[in-house]
């Protein structure tokens, strides 16, 4: 009997994807979003500085990666000029226009420590990790807790592949992610009222889900600094603050990690942070979201449209605050 291939629910025809010449059209986007001053100053959003010793230069040959057609979505891609100039990255400031400041991030050398409940703790250079993993491109929706959204072509590898490489012990129940801490280059980290470094966590079951993705690139090239270079997480069914940027340390633990925003305001930003239009943030509704590159307001979907793929992860956890 021949194998039956069942396309994921979000898959659409290739004709639905935004043509490359459209989302790469810088002039139209700049005019529409008031970014002319940035371009005129000689800063090209989404590109790294002209350095030979940064993560982008050292891994450039890996891009563009083959697109995995199982991860295609119904929305047009957000133009790179838009998504790369509207970023949350509190290490470099509490506003959205941190792209220029983020260019101070030094991405080489960039070693990633893997420790905790694993067979053998290790440290691996980012470029060695990127070259070891089978990179692919996926189109993902991204929903910010602030009720705006974008659609991005991320490049990377499944988080499950990293878990397999780490060889965690059976006692590991969570994965704790930690970013860098360098106030000398990241001005936001001079703000002592924040619990630096940024920390996030997921369960081992969430990490094993096919959608959990370690990101090394975007838009067909190495990851720009403002996106969280050289390595970030993408969890498309959760609010964006769970997708930690610029990862330095990955620890396998038995105890549930307390994440950055959970430590600051647990009543507003919990551990789970799954998208749900019916559960408002304490200070605003989550029923709708603003599409970043069009300004259109559209209904928010449960689990950001990935309910069929991830809802089973939370069976039996109805007493937990899953949507905060």
């Amino acid at each position: 009997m021949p194998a039956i291939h069942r396309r994921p629910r979000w898959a659409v025809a290739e004709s639905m994807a935004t043509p490359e010449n459209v989302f790469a059209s810088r002039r139209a986007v700049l005019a529409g979003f008031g970014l002319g001053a940035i371009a005129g100053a000689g800063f090209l959003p989404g590109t790294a500085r002209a350095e030979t010793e940064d993560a982008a230069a050292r891994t450039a040959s890996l891009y563009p990666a083959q697109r995995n057609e199982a991860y295609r979505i119904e929305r047009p891609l957000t133009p790179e000029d838009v998504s790369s100039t509207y970023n949350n990255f509190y290490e470099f400031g509490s506003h959205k226009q941190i792209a220029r400041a983020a260019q101070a991030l030094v991405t080489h050398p960039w070693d990633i420590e893997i420790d905790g409940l694993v067979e053998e703790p290790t440290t691996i250079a980012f470029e060695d990790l990127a070259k070891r993993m089978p990179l692919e491109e996926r189109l993902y929706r991204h929903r910010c807790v602030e009720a705006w959204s974008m659609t991005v072509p991320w490049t990377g590898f499944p988080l499950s592949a990293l878990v397999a490489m780490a060889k965690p012990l059976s006692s590991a129940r969570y994965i704790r992610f930690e970013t860098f801490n360098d106030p000398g280059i990241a001005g936001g980290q001079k703000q002592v009222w924040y619990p630096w470094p940024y920390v996030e966590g997921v369960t081992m079951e969430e990490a094993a889900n096919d959608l959990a993705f370690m990101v090394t690139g975007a838009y067909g090239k190495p990851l720009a600094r403002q996106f969280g270079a050289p390595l970030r997480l993408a969890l498309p069914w959760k609010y964006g603050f769970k997708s930690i940027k610029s990862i330095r340390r990955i620890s396998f633990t038995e105890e549930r990690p307390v994440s950055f925003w959970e430590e600051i305001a647990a009543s507003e930003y919990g551990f789970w942070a799954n998208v749900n239009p019916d559960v408002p943030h304490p200070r605003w509704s989550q029923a709708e979201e603003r599409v970043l590159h069009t300004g259109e307001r559209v209904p928010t979907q449960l689990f950001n449209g990935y309910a069929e793929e991830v809802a089973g992860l939370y069976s039996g956890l109805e007493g937990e605050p899953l949507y905060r």
Side-chain angles (χ1 to χ4, degrees), residues 132-149:
R132 179 171 176 172
M133 295 294 175
L135 301 187
E136 63 183 38
E137 183 180 78
R138 297 182 179 185
L139 308 186
Y140 272 1
R141 288 189 291 271
H142 177 94
R143 172 58 156 83
C144 182
V145 71
E146 298 167 333
W148 56 265
S149 63

Side-chain angles (χ1 to χ4, degrees), residues 10 46 121:
W10 62 81

Side-chain angles (χ1 to χ4, degrees), residues 228-248:
L231 182 68
R232 66 169 289 167
L233 184 62
L235 302 169
W237 71 96
K238 293 178 177 287
Y239 292 118
F241 66 85
K242 293 290 293 186
S243 294
I244 184 173
K245 297 180 174 182
S246 301
I247 297 168
R248 276 286 197 183

Side-chain angles (χ1 to χ4, degrees), residues 151-228:
T151 304
V152 180
W154 298 122
T155 298
F157 56 90
L159 175 54
S160 60
L162 185 142
V163 173
M165 184 191 78
K167 298 180 180 178
L169 304 180
S170 60
S171 53
R173 298 178 59 205
Y174 300 92
I175 305 179
R176 179 186 184 275
F177 299 90
E178 180 178 306
T179 189
F180 70 96
N181 190 7
D182 189 347
I185 62 170
Q189 291 185 326
K190 295 177 182 177
Q191 309 303 329
V192 296
W193 50 84
Y194 288 122
W196 304 114
Y198 199 105
V199 168
E200 260 305 340
V202 298
T203 67
M204 293 293 292
E205 292 76 18
E206 289 174 323
N209 187 274
D210 288 341
L211 288 173
F213 202 52
M214 299 296 290
V215 175
T216 65
Y219 296 93
K221 52 182 179 284
L223 199 61
R225 287 170 169 83
Q226 61 268 34
F227 282 138

Side-chain angles (χ1 to χ4, degrees), residues 56-323:
R58 297 174 71 88
T59 59
S61 63
L62 303 177
Y63 303 87
Q66 182 74 28
R67 177 176 294 178
N68 187 332
E69 298 295 344
Y71 301 91
R72 296 162 62 191
I73 48 185
E74 79 286 357
R75 295 181 184 177
L77 295 178
T78 301
E80 181 182 2
D81 286 330
V82 177
S83 62
S84 65
T85 55
Y86 192 89
N87 311 98
N88 279 324
F89 204 165
Y90 273 65
E91 285 82 349
F92 294 97
S94 57
H95 52 84
K96 298 295 188 290
Q97 286 71 44
I98 53 79
R100 184 185 297 276
Q103 303 315 301
L105 180 63
V106 177
T107 60
H108 178 77
W110 192 278
D111 293 334
I112 300 159
E113 186 178 358
I114 301 174
D115 63 9
L117 299 175
V118 294
E119 288 187 7
E120 186 174 348
T122 188
T123 298
I124 186 169
F126 165 73
E127 59 264 33
D128 292 338
L129 177 64
K131 292 173 182 178
R132 179 171 176 172
M133 295 294 175
L135 301 187
E136 63 183 38
E137 183 180 78
R138 297 182 179 185
L139 308 186
Y140 272 1
R141 288 189 291 271
H142 177 94
R143 172 58 156 83
C144 182
V145 71
E146 298 167 333
W148 56 265
S149 63
M150 62 181 180
T151 304
V152 180
W154 298 122
T155 298
F157 56 90
L159 175 54
S160 60
L162 185 142
V163 173
M165 184 191 78
K167 298 180 180 178
L169 304 180
S170 60
S171 53
R173 298 178 59 205
Y174 300 92
I175 305 179
R176 179 186 184 275
F177 299 90
E178 180 178 306
T179 189
F180 70 96
N181 190 7
D182 189 347
I185 62 170
Q189 291 185 326
K190 295 177 182 177
Q191 309 303 329
V192 296
W193 50 84
Y194 288 122
W196 304 114
Y198 199 105
V199 168
E200 260 305 340
V202 298
T203 67
M204 293 293 292
E205 292 76 18
E206 289 174 323
N209 187 274
D210 288 341
L211 288 173
F213 202 52
M214 299 296 290
V215 175
T216 65
Y219 296 93
K221 52 182 179 284
L223 199 61
R225 287 170 169 83
Q226 61 268 34
F227 282 138
L231 182 68
R232 66 169 289 167
L233 184 62
L235 302 169
W237 71 96
K238 293 178 177 287
Y239 292 118
F241 66 85
K242 293 290 293 186
S243 294
I244 184 173
K245 297 180 174 182
S246 301
I247 297 168
R248 276 286 197 183
R249 184 180 180 187
I250 301 170
S251 304
F252 292 79
T253 74
E254 188 172 7
E255 182 178 351
R256 189 163 89 180
V258 177
S259 60
F260 180 85
W261 286 108
E262 185 181 11
E263 184 171 344
I264 294 170
S267 64
E268 297 188 3
Y269 309 102
F271 173 80
W272 299 101
N274 295 317
V275 176
N276 189 332
D278 297 325
V279 178
H281 183 279
R283 290 181 281 128
W284 57 79
S285 170
Q286 296 288 19
E288 292 184 333
E289 62 201 61
R290 175 175 59 88
V291 179
L292 190 57
H293 67 288
T294 67
E296 179 186 9
R297 301 201 67 84
V298 300
T300 294
Q301 300 180 59
L302 180 63
F303 292 106
N304 201 24
Y306 298 100
E308 185 175 317
E309 293 71 40
V310 301
L313 293 171
Y314 308 103
S315 178
L317 296 175
E318 289 77 12
E320 292 272 348
L322 296 174
Y323 308 107

